[in-house]
Amino acid sequence: MGTTRGLQEKSIVLVGLMGAGKSTVGRRLAKRIGLPFADADEEIEAAAGLTVAEIFERHGEAHFRDGERRVLARLIAGPPSVIATGGGAFMDDETRALILARCTAIWLDAEVETLAGRVGRRGRRPLLEGQDPLVLLQRLAEIRNPVYAEAHLTIRGGALPHGKMVDRIVEALAGR
Ligand code: S3P
C-alpha cells in the first residue's frame, strides 16, 4: 500500500536507446500502477503538427532538441505520470538535471543486438536513415550508456516480453 502511494508521488521517466521499449513498456506500466501516460515524441509531434522525421528534415536536429526540452519541462511540471522519452532526451544537461531532481528515472538497458532487431519501424527515427542499425546503436551506446547509467534505476532484460519488464520495474520501484 505504502509502495503504491510512493509510486504516485513523482513522475516515472523511462530513458534508454531506441528500441528499448520505452513507449510500449511505459504505456503498460502506467496502466498497471494507475498513472497517466505521456510519450514525449508524440507530444513533440502534436505540438509541431509534424512527425519527428519531418521536424529533423525541415528544421534540423537542434530544433527538434529545443522542442524536446520544452515538452519534457512541461510534462515534468504536470501531474505525476509515466513519461516515455525519446532516446536523446536524457542526453540534454538541462532535461537530465530536471528529471533527476523531480522524477524517478529508469534506464531500460538492453543489448544493442536486441535493439537493432527492434528498430525497423520508420518515421520516428531519422538518425537511422541510411545507417546500419547495429553500427549506429553501438556508437550511440558507447556515448550514451554512461549517461543513462545516471538514472535512479536500471532495468536489464531488454529481450524479455514487455509484461515481464513491467513486473521488474514495479519490483524495483517497490524496493526503493
Ligand atoms: C532519438 C530517438 C527517437 C526520437 C528521435 C531521436 C535519439 O525516439 O526521439 O528519432 O536521439 O535516440 P525513440 O528512442 O523512442 O526511438
Side-chain angles (χ1 to χ4, degrees):
M1 290 305 256
T3 45
T4 310
R5 199 178 59 240
L7 288 180
Q8 297 183 354
E9 280 165 8
K10 287 180 175 183
S11 284
I12 294 165
V13 179
L14 302 182
V15 306
L17 286 172
M18 295 180 259
K22 301 179 296 288
S23 301
T24 320
V25 170
R27 196 166 269 117
R28 292 179 67 154
L29 174 67
K31 204 171 261 175
R32 178 87 71 91
I33 63 179
L35 285 182
F37 172 73
D39 182 306
D41 279 341
E42 273 177 17
E43 299 282 335
I44 297 163
E45 290 183 330
L50 296 170
T51 66
V52 170
E54 285 167 346
I55 302 171
F56 267 69
E57 202 176 289
R58 296 194 200 172
H59 304 292
E61 179 171 351
H63 183 90
F64 171 78
R65 298 298 176 196
D66 287 343
E68 184 173 52
R69 193 180 308 110
R70 278 198 302 275
V71 160
L72 277 160
R74 171 169 60 75
L75 292 174
I76 291 166
S81 326
V82 174
I83 303 169
T85 61
F90 199 63
M91 301 303 293
D92 181 85
D93 291 343
E94 211 175 299
T95 300
R96 188 170 63 258
L98 204 55
I99 293 172
L100 290 174
R102 304 256 182 92
C103 310
T104 301
I106 304 181
W107 175 23
L108 301 189
D109 186 19
E111 302 293 326
V112 283
E113 289 76 11
T114 306
L115 300 172
R118 290 214 193 117
V119 291
R121 282 163 296 134
R122 298 164 62 87
R124 287 268 191 90
R125 292 169 172 148
L127 295 180
L128 285 169
E129 281 303 308
Q131 303 281 333
D132 175 335
L134 189 58
V135 173
L136 177 84
L137 285 161
Q138 256 153 357
R139 189 148 46 84
L140 289 178
E142 265 174 46
I143 299 166
R144 293 180 177 181
N145 284 2
V147 181
Y148 293 143
E150 292 180 35
H152 303 105
L153 294 168
T154 297
I155 303 293
R156 298 207 165 81
L160 287 173
H162 288 139
K164 283 261 180 292
M165 293 282 286
V166 173
D167 292 343
R168 286 203 179 177
I169 294 173
V170 171
E171 276 166 34
L173 285 167
R176 263 173 71 77

